[in-house]
Amino acid sequence: MAAMQVVPAAAAGVVVQVQQDGRLGSRRAPVVCATGAMSMCHGVMARGAFGSSSGASALSVVRIASPKLRGVATMAATKVAAELGLTSGGEEVEVVAPEDVLIVENKQRQDQERVGVLLLNLGGPDTLEDVQPFLYNLFADPDIIRLPRLFRFLQRPLATFISTLRAPKSAEGYAAIGGGSPLRQITNEQAEALKASLQSKDVPAKVYVGMRYWHPFTEEAISQIKEDGITRLVVLPLYPQFSISTSGSSLRLLESIFRQDEYLVNMQHTVIPSWYNRNGYVQSMATLIEKELAKFEKPEEVHIFFSAHGVPVAYVEEAGDPYKAEMEECVQLIMAEVKNRGIRCPHTLAYQSRVGPVEWLKPYTDVTIKELGKSGVKSLLAVPVSFVSEHIETLEEIDMEYRELALESGIRNWGRVPALGVEPGFIADLADAIIEALPYVGAMAVSNLEARQSLVPLGSVGELLATYDTLRRELPAPVTMWEWGWTKSAETWNGRAAMLAVLTLLVLEVTSGQGVLHQLGILPLFH
Ligand SMILES: C=CC1=C(C)c2cc3[nH]c(cc4nc(cc5[nH]c(cc1n2)c(C)c5CCC(=O)O)C(CCC(=O)O)=C4C)c(C)c3C=C
Ligand SMILES: [Fe+2]
């Protein structure tokens, strides 16, 4: 193992010593000298003109200020040392003092590289006409409704059936918030802000938005990424906590897109699967809470009420979704920071937006609001915590439905923390997360301990999908009327459900003239 250490910057620049035998001081390897001016703050990539006895003429430098990032330092140092010909390539470079390390990258190679950031999000209907097709896309996703293998062919007809039934109720909600979802516009603003923040940190990158269920679809973003010749991609789902039903579903889609395309197979990438535990996010949330609390007449009497989007319990208990654990840890971290600021309000976490009759994560938001009202709480501050943009579930469900319920339940003073949106501290922290992930692009990060900063560790799409939900077990469908399982009643219901689904299929095929039976050439025989 070779050792790489950066000797603190002299007035003229930085000296990097690389040694082959792991002990500093003996058998000196080539020394790389920096002569340009550079920014030295944490996480900032700076550039300068450099000279080196190994022949490298232009380098860029990343300062790693935290010993916690030893893994990042090691990986990048290993790569750089090999590129500079300081090691023969195979051996890992040991980082002696990570808090002092400057990682040196070959700038010539960097100039040919184009960094891209892909923001993943759910998407929402732009107009009321979009509501049913948007819902169709959502319910056609096997990570939202996972049918038993035998019935998989019914996924699409079932999605048509459920989306058609649900569309009028959903459309009412979207009509109440102005006739469509604000998600597209807010996500575009976040992308712009992130690009500017990265640029200000001397990391030029293109930022793309890929939605799962509506425009701009992930496929559209990927086409643009190819067209722009991106060579290194950081994938950032805009969900602070990981769930199979959100980030997981988008990764599953990316995996299939990547697999079918030679350019994408070879494009290096890494994913930041969740980031609820980043200090910048936690601080930004605490600041928003503090600001909203100050608007109450008696802030010390306010109950802080975190409301997260729910998922069916089976996602957590049967498929191993880390969502609940990450959510609980997230709320703990935010409350620890809130307490740090001298605020002593009690708090509760509950889950909203359940769909259908299967059991979802508890406690439910509506039930909890009623209970809090009954128990004498008079002032409530709602904090949406699973999403970083305003959307139908903050603007309609929380601001209208839950507010009304709270007032009916005896709560007199109501407040709501806005979603983070383009809050500067939050965007700057996301930019830092991207910069810190860059050395992992193309590297096997999951196997690296330091990459395990959250329950779902940093890694490539393939690595991440291999770490959870590998079996993709059948789960109770969240939106249908039956229960899967082997109890007597479940069997009966399975049979009925299958009959219902087959009937639906037949009706749809006959009315639309399209479908599996037409494809198999069976149905036209009956015409
Ligand atoms: C962390 C966030 C989210 C999780 C987890 C999640 C799981 C999940 N959602 C549904 C069903 C629906 N979700 C709908 C809208 C919607 N969902 C999220 C986020 C999460 N979903 C957002 C941000 C939005 C809103 C987008 C917008 O247009 O503003 C909808 C449509 C709206 C409605 O009809 O209520 C449905 C349906 C399931 C079944 C699920 C987990 C399995
Ligand atoms: Fe949802």
Side-chain angles (χ1 to χ4, degrees):
M1 188 184 273
M4 178 182 254
Q5 185 178 32
V6 177
V7 177
V14 178
V15 181
V16 178
Q17 292 178 327
V18 177
Q19 220 187 300
Q20 261 88 30
D21 66 356
R23 272 186 303 119
L24 200 69
S26 62
R27 281 182 49 216
R28 285 215 162 162
V31 174
V32 183
C33 301
T35 53
M38 67 192 72
S39 165
M40 300 286 277
C41 42
H42 174 207
V44 169
M45 183 176 281
R47 291 195 168 163
F50 296 85
S52 126
S53 61
S54 70
S57 60
L59 303 163
S60 70
V61 176
V62 182
R63 176 152 170 75
I64 302 288
S66 158
K68 273 205 286 187
L69 295 175
R70 183 185 285 268
V72 180
T74 303
M75 210 175 310
T78 301
K79 211 162 68 177
V80 170
E83 265 171 25
L84 296 179
L86 304 176
T87 59
S88 58
E91 63 271 48
E92 191 178 86
V93 168
E94 184 193 347
V95 174
V96 180
E99 62 280 10
D100 262 349
V101 161
L102 293 173
I103 291 171
V104 184
E105 283 201 70
N106 192 329
K107 185 176 181 304
Q108 275 156 353
R109 198 206 59 197
Q110 249 194 18
D111 280 349
Q112 290 151 14
E113 280 184 341
R114 293 199 189 140
V115 175
V117 176
L118 174 59
L119 302 180
L120 298 175
N121 212 336
L122 190 121
D126 296 316
T127 65
L128 295 183
E129 287 77 62
D130 299 338
V131 171
Q132 188 275 328
F134 158 75
L135 289 176
Y136 169 86
N137 292 339
L138 189 135
F139 292 124
D141 177 2
D143 282 310
I144 292 286
I145 297 187
R146 215 174 270 184
L147 293 174
R149 218 167 288 277
L150 200 62
F151 296 121
R152 292 260 158 97
F153 70 99
L154 290 175
Q155 184 97 36
R156 287 170 187 210
L158 207 57
T160 307
F161 184 65
I162 299 168
S163 61
T164 310
L165 281 185
R166 190 174 171 88
K169 184 177 177 280
S170 274
E172 255 177 51
Y174 285 108
I177 62 164
S181 171
L183 214 52
R184 184 180 190 161
Q185 195 193 326
I186 298 172
T187 313
N188 283 339
E189 287 165 10
Q190 288 170 325
E192 278 304 309
L194 198 52
K195 186 176 169 200
S197 183
L198 285 166
Q199 185 68 56
S200 75
K201 292 167 192 278
D202 210 10
V203 182
K206 288 208 165 194
V207 182
Y208 305 85
V209 171
M211 300 292 196
R212 182 66 183 87
Y213 305 120
W214 204 246
H215 299 280
F217 287 112
T218 308
E219 290 85 344
E220 296 170 43
I222 292 288
S223 300
Q224 197 57 52
I225 285 168
K226 276 175 68 179
E227 213 172 280
D228 293 346
I230 295 298
T231 55
R232 303 174 87 193
L233 184 71
V234 177
V235 180
L236 177 66
L238 279 178
Y239 308 94
Q241 308 83 10
F242 185 94
S243 169
I244 290 170
S245 59
T246 53
S247 310
S249 163
S250 280
L251 295 186
R252 187 80 62 188
L253 175 65
L254 273 187
E255 184 195 36
S256 75
I257 299 173
F258 283 3
R259 215 189 297 131
Q260 289 161 23
D261 191 301
E262 204 187 324
Y263 177 93
L264 298 168
V265 167
N266 294 319
M267 180 185 63
Q268 297 193 324
H269 76 272
T270 198
V271 183
I272 304 171
S274 61
W275 35 270
Y276 65 91
N277 50 1
R278 287 189 64 84
N279 193 38
Y281 166 76
V282 171
Q283 294 288 337
S284 303
M285 287 299 289
T287 302
L288 289 184
I289 292 173
E290 204 177 2
K291 254 192 217 163
E292 289 308 310
L293 277 176
K295 294 182 185 166
F296 284 83
E297 213 172 287
K298 292 184 180 164
E300 64 286 357
E301 287 179 9
V302 176
H303 195 100
I304 302 175
F305 182 69
F306 292 90
S307 188
H309 196 303
V311 293
V313 169
Y315 279 62
V316 175
E317 291 184 358
E318 289 172 40
D321 197 335
Y323 182 71
K324 180 173 182 276
E326 293 203 347
M327 187 60 72
E328 286 168 0
E329 196 188 329
C330 174
V331 168
Q332 266 171 23
L333 290 169
I334 296 171
M335 279 313 295
E337 179 52 32
V338 167
K339 286 200 179 101
N340 233 358
R341 300 179 185 197
I343 297 163
R344 295 276 170 267
C345 299
H347 77 281
T348 304
L349 164 64
Y351 295 92
Q352 66 175 78
S353 318
R354 66 184 186 276
V355 188
V358 300
E359 194 188 0
W360 283 54
L361 291 182
K362 281 184 182 146
Y364 296 145
T365 293
D366 49 358
V367 176
T368 312
I369 288 177
K370 282 190 213 158
E371 282 172 4
L372 288 173
K374 229 188 239 171
S375 70
V377 169
K378 293 286 170 244
S379 302
L380 198 79
L381 176 62
V383 187
V385 70
S386 46
F387 213 59
V388 292
S389 315
E390 297 297 344
H391 63 292
I392 190 168
E393 280 139 9
T394 53
L395 300 172
E396 199 268 337
E397 208 173 338
I398 297 185
D399 289 354
M400 299 179 192
E401 291 181 35
Y402 294 141
R403 181 174 181 275
E404 199 182 315
L405 182 67
L407 297 180
E408 279 168 16
S409 308
I411 290 163
R412 293 210 193 101
N413 310 305
W414 167 269
R416 204 260 288 174
V417 163
L420 282 164
V422 289
E423 199 274 315
F426 162 61
I427 295 290
D429 187 56
L430 283 187
D432 286 344
I434 290 161
I435 293 168
E436 285 162 28
L438 273 174
Y440 285 111
V441 174
M444 289 292 288
V446 164
S447 56
N448 188 300
L449 270 183
E450 280 76 15
R452 294 176 183 274
Q453 286 165 349
S454 57
L455 294 180
V456 180
L458 190 79
S460 69
V461 167
E463 286 172 300
L464 287 173
L465 290 175
T467 61
Y468 80 94
D469 197 25
T470 37
L471 301 176
R472 293 198 92 199
R473 292 182 48 167
E474 292 152 14
L475 293 169
V479 284
T480 41
M481 306 81 85
W482 68 86
E483 189 182 70
W484 299 110
W486 297 111
T487 63
K488 189 84 187 107
S489 80
E491 269 175 28
T492 314
W493 280 107
N494 285 349
R496 286 180 192 167
M499 284 304 295
L500 180 71
V502 170
L503 269 176
T504 311
L505 174 77
L506 279 170
V507 171
L508 288 168
E509 290 235 11
V510 170
T511 52
S512 70
Q514 285 180 339
V516 180
L517 300 180
H518 279 80
Q519 274 166 23
L520 294 175
I522 296 170
L523 245 189
L525 293 180
F526 296 98
H527 274 234

